[in-house]
Amino acid sequence: MTSIYEMYATDKKRETDGFWYAPSLVQGIEFLLARSGGSNMNYAQSLELKTRPHRQLFERLTDDTSGEVDHKALALANGFMLEAFAETVILGWKGIKDDKGKNFPYNAANSIKIMTELPDLYDELRGVAAKQANFRAKAIKADVGN
């Protein structure tokens, strides 16, 4: 019988230190991804610091009963989320080249650039980094034994 702890306990170190993920569409590329949530407080703190000066604007977005979307505020919020993700969830990469074929070193600015210019890649990495199963302690132990 499976316990609730086996299903929901996560590897806290893996959540903050990350794991190597290879996107399926491109060979030879890997991203070191921390969790976007869970024990990765760096992500939450970064998002908080970026959004704090705009808190009233974002509160109006959620309290608005008119049904209209403030696209400028929504774009600002999405930009902050992308920056926080690129700076605190993507911890490194291997095999990334720029559009001219030159090695593209990992740093926060380059991470933001790639996620901005390749939104489908950003969406894929966000999904992987948010998925609790990728950080589950029991599944990780089982994978190590194989």
Side-chain angles (χ1 to χ4, degrees), residues 31-70:
F31 291 88
L32 182 59
L33 299 177
R35 188 169 182 196
S36 58
S39 295
N40 184 5
M41 296 310 296
N42 292 331
Y43 176 70
Q45 290 168 347
S46 175
L47 202 50
E48 164 64 24
L49 288 172
K50 290 174 186 307
T51 59
R52 185 180 297 153
H54 308 279
R55 182 81 58 217
Q56 288 181 335
L57 175 64
F58 296 137
E59 286 174 0
R60 282 197 308 270
L61 276 177
T62 58
D63 292 341
D64 186 6
T65 57
S66 71
E68 293 185 28
V69 176
D70 182 336

PDB file of all heavy atoms in Angstrom, residues 31-70:
ATOM      1  N   PHE A  31      18.828  21.726 -19.576  1.00  0.00           N
ATOM      2  CA  PHE A  31      18.610  22.840 -18.664  1.00  0.00           C
ATOM      3  C   PHE A  31      18.633  22.305 -17.246  1.00  0.00           C
ATOM      4  O   PHE A  31      18.025  21.272 -16.959  1.00  0.00           O
ATOM      5  CB  PHE A  31      17.247  23.499 -18.917  1.00  0.00           C
ATOM      6  CG  PHE A  31      17.175  24.238 -20.217  1.00  0.00           C
ATOM      7  CD1 PHE A  31      16.796  23.593 -21.379  1.00  0.00           C
ATOM      8  CD2 PHE A  31      17.506  25.586 -20.276  1.00  0.00           C
ATOM      9  CE1 PHE A  31      16.739  24.269 -22.582  1.00  0.00           C
ATOM     10  CE2 PHE A  31      17.449  26.272 -21.476  1.00  0.00           C
ATOM     11  CZ  PHE A  31      17.064  25.607 -22.637  1.00  0.00           C
ATOM     12  N   LEU A  32      19.323  23.012 -16.358  1.00  0.00           N
ATOM     13  CA  LEU A  32      19.300  22.700 -14.941  1.00  0.00           C
ATOM     14  C   LEU A  32      18.128  23.472 -14.336  1.00  0.00           C
ATOM     15  O   LEU A  32      18.153  24.708 -14.303  1.00  0.00           O
ATOM     16  CB  LEU A  32      20.624  23.101 -14.277  1.00  0.00           C
ATOM     17  CG  LEU A  32      20.759  22.796 -12.786  1.00  0.00           C
ATOM     18  CD1 LEU A  32      20.593  21.309 -12.495  1.00  0.00           C
ATOM     19  CD2 LEU A  32      22.113  23.295 -12.274  1.00  0.00           C
ATOM     20  N   LEU A  33      17.098  22.741 -13.905  1.00  0.00           N
ATOM     21  CA  LEU A  33      15.860  23.368 -13.439  1.00  0.00           C
ATOM     22  C   LEU A  33      15.594  23.096 -11.967  1.00  0.00           C
ATOM     23  O   LEU A  33      15.573  21.936 -11.538  1.00  0.00           O
ATOM     24  CB  LEU A  33      14.658  22.831 -14.236  1.00  0.00           C
ATOM     25  CG  LEU A  33      14.651  23.073 -15.726  1.00  0.00           C
ATOM     26  CD1 LEU A  33      13.436  22.407 -16.354  1.00  0.00           C
ATOM     27  CD2 LEU A  33      14.663  24.565 -16.026  1.00  0.00           C
ATOM     28  N   ALA A  34      15.370  24.155 -11.226  1.00  0.00           N
ATOM     29  CA  ALA A  34      14.866  24.056  -9.859  1.00  0.00           C
ATOM     30  C   ALA A  34      13.339  24.035  -9.950  1.00  0.00           C
ATOM     31  O   ALA A  34      12.766  24.216 -11.029  1.00  0.00           O
ATOM     32  CB  ALA A  34      15.345  25.245  -9.021  1.00  0.00           C
ATOM     33  N   ARG A  35      12.684  23.841  -8.853  1.00  0.00           N
ATOM     34  CA  ARG A  35      11.225  23.846  -8.847  1.00  0.00           C
ATOM     35  C   ARG A  35      10.713  25.286  -8.774  1.00  0.00           C
ATOM     36  O   ARG A  35      11.275  26.116  -8.056  1.00  0.00           O
ATOM     37  CB  ARG A  35      10.694  23.051  -7.657  1.00  0.00           C
ATOM     38  CG  ARG A  35       9.190  22.875  -7.720  1.00  0.00           C
ATOM     39  CD  ARG A  35       8.698  21.882  -6.714  1.00  0.00           C
ATOM     40  NE  ARG A  35       7.250  21.725  -6.848  1.00  0.00           N
ATOM     41  CZ  ARG A  35       6.485  21.173  -5.943  1.00  0.00           C
ATOM     42  NH1 ARG A  35       7.021  20.675  -4.847  1.00  0.00           N
ATOM     43  NH2 ARG A  35       5.195  21.069  -6.139  1.00  0.00           N
ATOM     44  N   SER A  36       9.664  25.562  -9.493  1.00  0.00           N
ATOM     45  CA  SER A  36       9.036  26.891  -9.407  1.00  0.00           C
ATOM     46  C   SER A  36       7.927  26.811  -8.361  1.00  0.00           C
ATOM     47  O   SER A  36       6.748  26.840  -8.670  1.00  0.00           O
ATOM     48  CB  SER A  36       8.485  27.327 -10.768  1.00  0.00           C
ATOM     49  OG  SER A  36       7.554  26.381 -11.246  1.00  0.00           O
ATOM     50  N   GLY A  37       8.340  26.702  -7.136  1.00  0.00           N
ATOM     51  CA  GLY A  37       7.426  26.527  -6.011  1.00  0.00           C
ATOM     52  C   GLY A  37       8.083  25.607  -5.013  1.00  0.00           C
ATOM     53  O   GLY A  37       9.302  25.447  -4.995  1.00  0.00           O
ATOM     54  N   GLY A  38       7.272  24.972  -4.184  1.00  0.00           N
ATOM     55  CA  GLY A  38       7.812  24.045  -3.195  1.00  0.00           C
ATOM     56  C   GLY A  38       8.849  24.707  -2.307  1.00  0.00           C
ATOM     57  O   GLY A  38       8.634  25.799  -1.783  1.00  0.00           O
ATOM     58  N   SER A  39      10.000  24.077  -2.189  1.00  0.00           N
ATOM     59  CA  SER A  39      11.071  24.573  -1.318  1.00  0.00           C
ATOM     60  C   SER A  39      11.935  25.652  -1.964  1.00  0.00           C
ATOM     61  O   SER A  39      12.820  26.190  -1.305  1.00  0.00           O
ATOM     62  CB  SER A  39      11.979  23.413  -0.897  1.00  0.00           C
ATOM     63  OG  SER A  39      11.266  22.513  -0.109  1.00  0.00           O
ATOM     64  N   ASN A  40      11.717  25.949  -3.227  1.00  0.00           N
ATOM     65  CA  ASN A  40      12.531  26.969  -3.901  1.00  0.00           C
ATOM     66  C   ASN A  40      12.003  28.356  -3.535  1.00  0.00           C
ATOM     67  O   ASN A  40      11.269  28.971  -4.298  1.00  0.00           O
ATOM     68  CB  ASN A  40      12.535  26.761  -5.411  1.00  0.00           C
ATOM     69  CG  ASN A  40      13.461  27.741  -6.121  1.00  0.00           C
ATOM     70  OD1 ASN A  40      14.173  28.511  -5.489  1.00  0.00           O
ATOM     71  ND2 ASN A  40      13.445  27.712  -7.436  1.00  0.00           N
ATOM     72  N   MET A  41      12.406  28.835  -2.385  1.00  0.00           N
ATOM     73  CA  MET A  41      11.960  30.148  -1.913  1.00  0.00           C
ATOM     74  C   MET A  41      12.566  31.285  -2.725  1.00  0.00           C
ATOM     75  O   MET A  41      12.048  32.394  -2.721  1.00  0.00           O
ATOM     76  CB  MET A  41      12.271  30.317  -0.426  1.00  0.00           C
ATOM     77  CG  MET A  41      11.520  29.324   0.468  1.00  0.00           C
ATOM     78  SD  MET A  41       9.732  29.261   0.144  1.00  0.00           S
ATOM     79  CE  MET A  41       9.249  30.907   0.584  1.00  0.00           C
ATOM     80  N   ASN A  42      13.660  31.023  -3.431  1.00  0.00           N
ATOM     81  CA  ASN A  42      14.263  32.066  -4.269  1.00  0.00           C
ATOM     82  C   ASN A  42      13.278  32.564  -5.318  1.00  0.00           C
ATOM     83  O   ASN A  42      13.211  33.760  -5.601  1.00  0.00           O
ATOM     84  CB  ASN A  42      15.529  31.541  -4.962  1.00  0.00           C
ATOM     85  CG  ASN A  42      16.637  31.268  -3.985  1.00  0.00           C
ATOM     86  OD1 ASN A  42      16.738  31.895  -2.944  1.00  0.00           O
ATOM     87  ND2 ASN A  42      17.471  30.297  -4.320  1.00  0.00           N
ATOM     88  N   TYR A  43      12.508  31.650  -5.905  1.00  0.00           N
ATOM     89  CA  TYR A  43      11.527  32.024  -6.916  1.00  0.00           C
ATOM     90  C   TYR A  43      10.442  32.907  -6.301  1.00  0.00           C
ATOM     91  O   TYR A  43      10.133  33.976  -6.818  1.00  0.00           O
ATOM     92  CB  TYR A  43      10.923  30.767  -7.546  1.00  0.00           C
ATOM     93  CG  TYR A  43       9.832  31.057  -8.545  1.00  0.00           C
ATOM     94  CD1 TYR A  43      10.131  31.636  -9.770  1.00  0.00           C
ATOM     95  CD2 TYR A  43       8.512  30.752  -8.271  1.00  0.00           C
ATOM     96  CE1 TYR A  43       9.131  31.903 -10.699  1.00  0.00           C
ATOM     97  CE2 TYR A  43       7.508  31.017  -9.193  1.00  0.00           C
ATOM     98  CZ  TYR A  43       7.825  31.590 -10.404  1.00  0.00           C
ATOM     99  OH  TYR A  43       6.829  31.862 -11.310  1.00  0.00           O
ATOM    100  N   ALA A  44       9.885  32.471  -5.186  1.00  0.00           N
ATOM    101  CA  ALA A  44       8.816  33.234  -4.528  1.00  0.00           C
ATOM    102  C   ALA A  44       9.312  34.608  -4.090  1.00  0.00           C
ATOM    103  O   ALA A  44       8.614  35.615  -4.269  1.00  0.00           O
ATOM    104  CB  ALA A  44       8.275  32.459  -3.329  1.00  0.00           C
ATOM    105  N   GLN A  45      10.511  34.675  -3.534  1.00  0.00           N
ATOM    106  CA  GLN A  45      11.063  35.943  -3.076  1.00  0.00           C
ATOM    107  C   GLN A  45      11.347  36.883  -4.248  1.00  0.00           C
ATOM    108  O   GLN A  45      11.081  38.088  -4.158  1.00  0.00           O
ATOM    109  CB  GLN A  45      12.330  35.705  -2.262  1.00  0.00           C
ATOM    110  CG  GLN A  45      12.045  35.068  -0.921  1.00  0.00           C
ATOM    111  CD  GLN A  45      13.307  34.566  -0.220  1.00  0.00           C
ATOM    112  OE1 GLN A  45      14.381  34.475  -0.812  1.00  0.00           O
ATOM    113  NE2 GLN A  45      13.159  34.218   1.054  1.00  0.00           N
ATOM    114  N   SER A  46      11.865  36.353  -5.333  1.00  0.00           N
ATOM    115  CA  SER A  46      12.142  37.173  -6.508  1.00  0.00           C
ATOM    116  C   SER A  46      10.852  37.755  -7.066  1.00  0.00           C
ATOM    117  O   SER A  46      10.777  38.951  -7.373  1.00  0.00           O
ATOM    118  CB  SER A  46      12.836  36.332  -7.584  1.00  0.00           C
ATOM    119  OG  SER A  46      13.015  37.084  -8.759  1.00  0.00           O
ATOM    120  N   LEU A  47       9.835  36.923  -7.168  1.00  0.00           N
ATOM    121  CA  LEU A  47       8.544  37.387  -7.677  1.00  0.00           C
ATOM    122  C   LEU A  47       7.944  38.446  -6.758  1.00  0.00           C
ATOM    123  O   LEU A  47       7.425  39.461  -7.227  1.00  0.00           O
ATOM    124  CB  LEU A  47       7.600  36.193  -7.818  1.00  0.00           C
ATOM    125  CG  LEU A  47       6.434  36.336  -8.762  1.00  0.00           C
ATOM    126  CD1 LEU A  47       6.841  36.840 -10.125  1.00  0.00           C
ATOM    127  CD2 LEU A  47       5.704  35.008  -8.869  1.00  0.00           C
ATOM    128  N   GLU A  48       8.058  38.239  -5.464  1.00  0.00           N
ATOM    129  CA  GLU A  48       7.549  39.213  -4.491  1.00  0.00           C
ATOM    130  C   GLU A  48       8.257  40.556  -4.638  1.00  0.00           C
ATOM    131  O   GLU A  48       7.617  41.608  -4.663  1.00  0.00           O
ATOM    132  CB  GLU A  48       7.722  38.670  -3.072  1.00  0.00           C
ATOM    133  CG  GLU A  48       7.605  39.679  -1.958  1.00  0.00           C
ATOM    134  CD  GLU A  48       6.228  40.336  -1.834  1.00  0.00           C
ATOM    135  OE1 GLU A  48       5.235  39.741  -2.278  1.00  0.00           O
ATOM    136  OE2 GLU A  48       6.165  41.461  -1.304  1.00  0.00           O
ATOM    137  N   LEU A  49       9.573  40.546  -4.746  1.00  0.00           N
ATOM    138  CA  LEU A  49      10.332  41.796  -4.878  1.00  0.00           C
ATOM    139  C   LEU A  49      10.006  42.532  -6.175  1.00  0.00           C
ATOM    140  O   LEU A  49       9.928  43.761  -6.196  1.00  0.00           O
ATOM    141  CB  LEU A  49      11.834  41.520  -4.808  1.00  0.00           C
ATOM    142  CG  LEU A  49      12.375  41.148  -3.431  1.00  0.00           C
ATOM    143  CD1 LEU A  49      13.837  40.717  -3.530  1.00  0.00           C
ATOM    144  CD2 LEU A  49      12.221  42.302  -2.456  1.00  0.00           C
ATOM    145  N   LYS A  50       9.810  41.789  -7.247  1.00  0.00           N
ATOM    146  CA  LYS A  50       9.508  42.411  -8.534  1.00  0.00           C
ATOM    147  C   LYS A  50       8.103  43.009  -8.568  1.00  0.00           C
ATOM    148  O   LYS A  50       7.883  44.045  -9.189  1.00  0.00           O
ATOM    149  CB  LYS A  50       9.664  41.390  -9.659  1.00  0.00           C
ATOM    150  CG  LYS A  50      11.095  40.992  -9.919  1.00  0.00           C
ATOM    151  CD  LYS A  50      11.174  39.870 -10.938  1.00  0.00           C
ATOM    152  CE  LYS A  50      12.581  39.364 -11.113  1.00  0.00           C
ATOM    153  NZ  LYS A  50      13.582  40.354 -11.400  1.00  0.00           N
ATOM    154  N   THR A  51       7.162  42.361  -7.918  1.00  0.00           N
ATOM    155  CA  THR A  51       5.769  42.803  -8.001  1.00  0.00           C
ATOM    156  C   THR A  51       5.366  43.772  -6.895  1.00  0.00           C
ATOM    157  O   THR A  51       4.374  44.489  -7.050  1.00  0.00           O
ATOM    158  CB  THR A  51       4.805  41.597  -7.976  1.00  0.00           C
ATOM    159  OG1 THR A  51       4.996  40.857  -6.768  1.00  0.00           O
ATOM    160  CG2 THR A  51       5.022  40.703  -9.185  1.00  0.00           C
ATOM    161  N   ARG A  52       6.112  43.819  -5.812  1.00  0.00           N
ATOM    162  CA  ARG A  52       5.738  44.656  -4.663  1.00  0.00           C
ATOM    163  C   ARG A  52       5.415  46.111  -5.046  1.00  0.00           C
ATOM    164  O   ARG A  52       4.389  46.645  -4.620  1.00  0.00           O
ATOM    165  CB  ARG A  52       6.821  44.624  -3.592  1.00  0.00           C
ATOM    166  CG  ARG A  52       6.418  45.391  -2.323  1.00  0.00           C
ATOM    167  CD  ARG A  52       7.500  45.357  -1.264  1.00  0.00           C
ATOM    168  NE  ARG A  52       7.729  43.996  -0.841  1.00  0.00           N
ATOM    169  CZ  ARG A  52       8.891  43.559  -0.356  1.00  0.00           C
ATOM    170  NH1 ARG A  52       9.918  44.372  -0.257  1.00  0.00           N
ATOM    171  NH2 ARG A  52       9.027  42.303   0.023  1.00  0.00           N
ATOM    172  N   PRO A  53       6.235  46.780  -5.855  1.00  0.00           N
ATOM    173  CA  PRO A  53       5.922  48.177  -6.198  1.00  0.00           C
ATOM    174  C   PRO A  53       4.632  48.338  -7.017  1.00  0.00           C
ATOM    175  O   PRO A  53       4.101  49.432  -7.130  1.00  0.00           O
ATOM    176  CB  PRO A  53       7.130  48.629  -7.029  1.00  0.00           C
ATOM    177  CG  PRO A  53       8.209  47.667  -6.732  1.00  0.00           C
ATOM    178  CD  PRO A  53       7.542  46.382  -6.380  1.00  0.00           C
ATOM    179  N   HIS A  54       4.137  47.248  -7.555  1.00  0.00           N
ATOM    180  CA  HIS A  54       2.951  47.297  -8.417  1.00  0.00           C
ATOM    181  C   HIS A  54       1.753  46.584  -7.787  1.00  0.00           C
ATOM    182  O   HIS A  54       0.799  46.266  -8.475  1.00  0.00           O
ATOM    183  CB  HIS A  54       3.281  46.646  -9.771  1.00  0.00           C
ATOM    184  CG  HIS A  54       4.513  47.199 -10.392  1.00  0.00           C
ATOM    185  ND1 HIS A  54       4.523  48.385 -11.093  1.00  0.00           N
ATOM    186  CD2 HIS A  54       5.791  46.747 -10.386  1.00  0.00           C
ATOM    187  CE1 HIS A  54       5.761  48.627 -11.513  1.00  0.00           C
ATOM    188  NE2 HIS A  54       6.543  47.650 -11.095  1.00  0.00           N
ATOM    189  N   ARG A  55       1.826  46.332  -6.499  1.00  0.00           N
ATOM    190  CA  ARG A  55       0.815  45.541  -5.797  1.00  0.00           C
ATOM    191  C   ARG A  55      -0.600  46.075  -6.009  1.00  0.00           C
ATOM    192  O   ARG A  55      -1.524  45.303  -6.272  1.00  0.00           O
ATOM    193  CB  ARG A  55       1.140  45.498  -4.293  1.00  0.00           C
ATOM    194  CG  ARG A  55       0.198  44.676  -3.474  1.00  0.00           C
ATOM    195  CD  ARG A  55       0.460  43.193  -3.511  1.00  0.00           C
ATOM    196  NE  ARG A  55       1.802  42.917  -3.061  1.00  0.00           N
ATOM    197  CZ  ARG A  55       2.572  41.962  -3.576  1.00  0.00           C
ATOM    198  NH1 ARG A  55       2.136  41.201  -4.520  1.00  0.00           N
ATOM    199  NH2 ARG A  55       3.789  41.777  -3.153  1.00  0.00           N
ATOM    200  N   GLN A  56      -0.791  47.380  -5.906  1.00  0.00           N
ATOM    201  CA  GLN A  56      -2.140  47.936  -6.064  1.00  0.00           C
ATOM    202  C   GLN A  56      -2.684  47.667  -7.463  1.00  0.00           C
ATOM    203  O   GLN A  56      -3.864  47.362  -7.624  1.00  0.00           O
ATOM    204  CB  GLN A  56      -2.153  49.430  -5.761  1.00  0.00           C
ATOM    205  CG  GLN A  56      -1.987  49.730  -4.283  1.00  0.00           C
ATOM    206  CD  GLN A  56      -2.016  51.225  -4.013  1.00  0.00           C
ATOM    207  OE1 GLN A  56      -1.704  52.039  -4.871  1.00  0.00           O
ATOM    208  NE2 GLN A  56      -2.408  51.588  -2.798  1.00  0.00           N
ATOM    209  N   LEU A  57      -1.845  47.776  -8.453  1.00  0.00           N
ATOM    210  CA  LEU A  57      -2.267  47.502  -9.822  1.00  0.00           C
ATOM    211  C   LEU A  57      -2.728  46.050  -9.957  1.00  0.00           C
ATOM    212  O   LEU A  57      -3.786  45.777 -10.527  1.00  0.00           O
ATOM    213  CB  LEU A  57      -1.119  47.782 -10.796  1.00  0.00           C
ATOM    214  CG  LEU A  57      -1.354  47.425 -12.255  1.00  0.00           C
ATOM    215  CD1 LEU A  57      -2.471  48.279 -12.841  1.00  0.00           C
ATOM    216  CD2 LEU A  57      -0.072  47.611 -13.047  1.00  0.00           C
ATOM    217  N   PHE A  58      -1.955  45.121  -9.409  1.00  0.00           N
ATOM    218  CA  PHE A  58      -2.307  43.709  -9.515  1.00  0.00           C
ATOM    219  C   PHE A  58      -3.541  43.369  -8.687  1.00  0.00           C
ATOM    220  O   PHE A  58      -4.341  42.527  -9.082  1.00  0.00           O
ATOM    221  CB  PHE A  58      -1.124  42.832  -9.117  1.00  0.00           C
ATOM    222  CG  PHE A  58       0.062  42.989 -10.036  1.00  0.00           C
ATOM    223  CD1 PHE A  58       1.343  43.086  -9.532  1.00  0.00           C
ATOM    224  CD2 PHE A  58      -0.100  43.064 -11.419  1.00  0.00           C
ATOM    225  CE1 PHE A  58       2.429  43.244 -10.372  1.00  0.00           C
ATOM    226  CE2 PHE A  58       0.977  43.221 -12.269  1.00  0.00           C
ATOM    227  CZ  PHE A  58       2.250  43.307 -11.752  1.00  0.00           C
ATOM    228  N   GLU A  59      -3.723  44.039  -7.554  1.00  0.00           N
ATOM    229  CA  GLU A  59      -4.929  43.817  -6.751  1.00  0.00           C
ATOM    230  C   GLU A  59      -6.168  44.283  -7.508  1.00  0.00           C
ATOM    231  O   GLU A  59      -7.215  43.645  -7.445  1.00  0.00           O
ATOM    232  CB  GLU A  59      -4.816  44.518  -5.404  1.00  0.00           C
ATOM    233  CG  GLU A  59      -3.864  43.813  -4.460  1.00  0.00           C
ATOM    234  CD  GLU A  59      -3.615  44.571  -3.168  1.00  0.00           C
ATOM    235  OE1 GLU A  59      -4.182  45.679  -2.981  1.00  0.00           O
ATOM    236  OE2 GLU A  59      -2.837  44.066  -2.347  1.00  0.00           O
ATOM    237  N   ARG A  60      -6.046  45.376  -8.243  1.00  0.00           N
ATOM    238  CA  ARG A  60      -7.178  45.845  -9.052  1.00  0.00           C
ATOM    239  C   ARG A  60      -7.518  44.836 -10.141  1.00  0.00           C
ATOM    240  O   ARG A  60      -8.676  44.655 -10.500  1.00  0.00           O
ATOM    241  CB  ARG A  60      -6.876  47.205  -9.679  1.00  0.00           C
ATOM    242  CG  ARG A  60      -7.029  48.361  -8.708  1.00  0.00           C
ATOM    243  CD  ARG A  60      -7.136  49.697  -9.447  1.00  0.00           C
ATOM    244  NE  ARG A  60      -6.072  49.941 -10.409  1.00  0.00           N
ATOM    245  CZ  ARG A  60      -4.916  50.547 -10.125  1.00  0.00           C
ATOM    246  NH1 ARG A  60      -4.667  50.978  -8.907  1.00  0.00           N
ATOM    247  NH2 ARG A  60      -4.013  50.740 -11.066  1.00  0.00           N
ATOM    248  N   LEU A  61      -6.505  44.173 -10.666  1.00  0.00           N
ATOM    249  CA  LEU A  61      -6.755  43.153 -11.691  1.00  0.00           C
ATOM    250  C   LEU A  61      -7.637  42.036 -11.154  1.00  0.00           C
ATOM    251  O   LEU A  61      -8.556  41.574 -11.813  1.00  0.00           O
ATOM    252  CB  LEU A  61      -5.435  42.535 -12.168  1.00  0.00           C
ATOM    253  CG  LEU A  61      -4.646  43.246 -13.233  1.00  0.00           C
ATOM    254  CD1 LEU A  61      -3.352  42.509 -13.507  1.00  0.00           C
ATOM    255  CD2 LEU A  61      -5.445  43.377 -14.509  1.00  0.00           C
ATOM    256  N   THR A  62      -7.337  41.593  -9.934  1.00  0.00           N
ATOM    257  CA  THR A  62      -8.090  40.470  -9.373  1.00  0.00           C
ATOM    258  C   THR A  62      -9.424  40.906  -8.778  1.00  0.00           C
ATOM    259  O   THR A  62     -10.324  40.096  -8.654  1.00  0.00           O
ATOM    260  CB  THR A  62      -7.266  39.739  -8.295  1.00  0.00           C
ATOM    261  OG1 THR A  62      -6.906  40.663  -7.268  1.00  0.00           O
ATOM    262  CG2 THR A  62      -6.013  39.129  -8.892  1.00  0.00           C
ATOM    263  N   ASP A  63      -9.555  42.184  -8.405  1.00  0.00           N
ATOM    264  CA  ASP A  63     -10.802  42.676  -7.812  1.00  0.00           C
ATOM    265  C   ASP A  63     -11.762  43.249  -8.845  1.00  0.00           C
ATOM    266  O   ASP A  63     -12.892  43.589  -8.520  1.00  0.00           O
ATOM    267  CB  ASP A  63     -10.511  43.755  -6.757  1.00  0.00           C
ATOM    268  CG  ASP A  63      -9.818  43.175  -5.539  1.00  0.00           C
ATOM    269  OD1 ASP A  63      -9.887  41.957  -5.347  1.00  0.00           O
ATOM    270  OD2 ASP A  63      -9.192  43.952  -4.807  1.00  0.00           O
ATOM    271  N   ASP A  64     -11.312  43.379 -10.072  1.00  0.00           N
ATOM    272  CA  ASP A  64     -12.124  44.004 -11.122  1.00  0.00           C
ATOM    273  C   ASP A  64     -13.345  43.135 -11.440  1.00  0.00           C
ATOM    274  O   ASP A  64     -13.213  41.981 -11.815  1.00  0.00           O
ATOM    275  CB  ASP A  64     -11.282  44.214 -12.378  1.00  0.00           C
ATOM    276  CG  ASP A  64     -12.012  44.998 -13.456  1.00  0.00           C
ATOM    277  OD1 ASP A  64     -13.125  45.479 -13.197  1.00  0.00           O
ATOM    278  OD2 ASP A  64     -11.446  45.130 -14.544  1.00  0.00           O
ATOM    279  N   THR A  65     -14.519  43.697 -11.276  1.00  0.00           N
ATOM    280  CA  THR A  65     -15.751  42.960 -11.552  1.00  0.00           C
ATOM    281  C   THR A  65     -16.311  43.290 -12.929  1.00  0.00           C
ATOM    282  O   THR A  65     -17.323  42.719 -13.324  1.00  0.00           O
ATOM    283  CB  THR A  65     -16.818  43.268 -10.482  1.00  0.00           C
ATOM    284  OG1 THR A  65     -17.033  44.684 -10.456  1.00  0.00           O
ATOM    285  CG2 THR A  65     -16.386  42.766  -9.123  1.00  0.00           C
ATOM    286  N   SER A  66     -15.670  44.187 -13.671  1.00  0.00           N
ATOM    287  CA  SER A  66     -16.177  44.580 -14.979  1.00  0.00           C
ATOM    288  C   SER A  66     -15.978  43.492 -16.028  1.00  0.00           C
ATOM    289  O   SER A  66     -16.638  43.487 -17.052  1.00  0.00           O
ATOM    290  CB  SER A  66     -15.499  45.866 -15.456  1.00  0.00           C
ATOM    291  OG  SER A  66     -14.145  45.607 -15.796  1.00  0.00           O
ATOM    292  N   GLY A  67     -15.049  42.588 -15.756  1.00  0.00           N
ATOM    293  CA  GLY A  67     -14.761  41.542 -16.724  1.00  0.00           C
ATOM    294  C   GLY A  67     -13.741  41.948 -17.770  1.00  0.00           C
ATOM    295  O   GLY A  67     -13.326  41.129 -18.588  1.00  0.00           O
ATOM    296  N   GLU A  68     -13.331  43.219 -17.770  1.00  0.00           N
ATOM    297  CA  GLU A  68     -12.338  43.678 -18.728  1.00  0.00           C
ATOM    298  C   GLU A  68     -10.936  43.374 -18.217  1.00  0.00           C
ATOM    299  O   GLU A  68     -10.675  43.430 -17.021  1.00  0.00           O
ATOM    300  CB  GLU A  68     -12.495  45.177 -18.980  1.00  0.00           C
ATOM    301  CG  GLU A  68     -13.781  45.526 -19.693  1.00  0.00           C
ATOM    302  CD  GLU A  68     -13.869  46.998 -20.039  1.00  0.00           C
ATOM    303  OE1 GLU A  68     -12.812  47.634 -20.224  1.00  0.00           O
ATOM    304  OE2 GLU A  68     -14.999  47.493 -20.116  1.00  0.00           O
ATOM    305  N   VAL A  69     -10.056  43.072 -19.148  1.00  0.00           N
ATOM    306  CA  VAL A  69      -8.677  42.749 -18.796  1.00  0.00           C
ATOM    307  C   VAL A  69      -7.801  43.958 -19.071  1.00  0.00           C
ATOM    308  O   VAL A  69      -7.869  44.558 -20.144  1.00  0.00           O
ATOM    309  CB  VAL A  69      -8.181  41.540 -19.622  1.00  0.00           C
ATOM    310  CG1 VAL A  69      -6.721  41.257 -19.333  1.00  0.00           C
ATOM    311  CG2 VAL A  69      -9.033  40.323 -19.348  1.00  0.00           C
ATOM    312  N   ASP A  70      -6.983  44.311 -18.103  1.00  0.00           N
ATOM    313  CA  ASP A  70      -5.991  45.366 -18.289  1.00  0.00           C
ATOM    314  C   ASP A  70      -4.765  44.696 -18.912  1.00  0.00           C
ATOM    315  O   ASP A  70      -3.944  44.094 -18.213  1.00  0.00           O
ATOM    316  CB  ASP A  70      -5.655  46.013 -16.935  1.00  0.00           C
ATOM    317  CG  ASP A  70      -4.668  47.157 -17.062  1.00  0.00           C
ATOM    318  OD1 ASP A  70      -3.899  47.187 -18.049  1.00  0.00           O
ATOM    319  OD2 ASP A  70      -4.650  48.009 -16.163  1.00  0.00           O
TER     320      ASP A  70
END
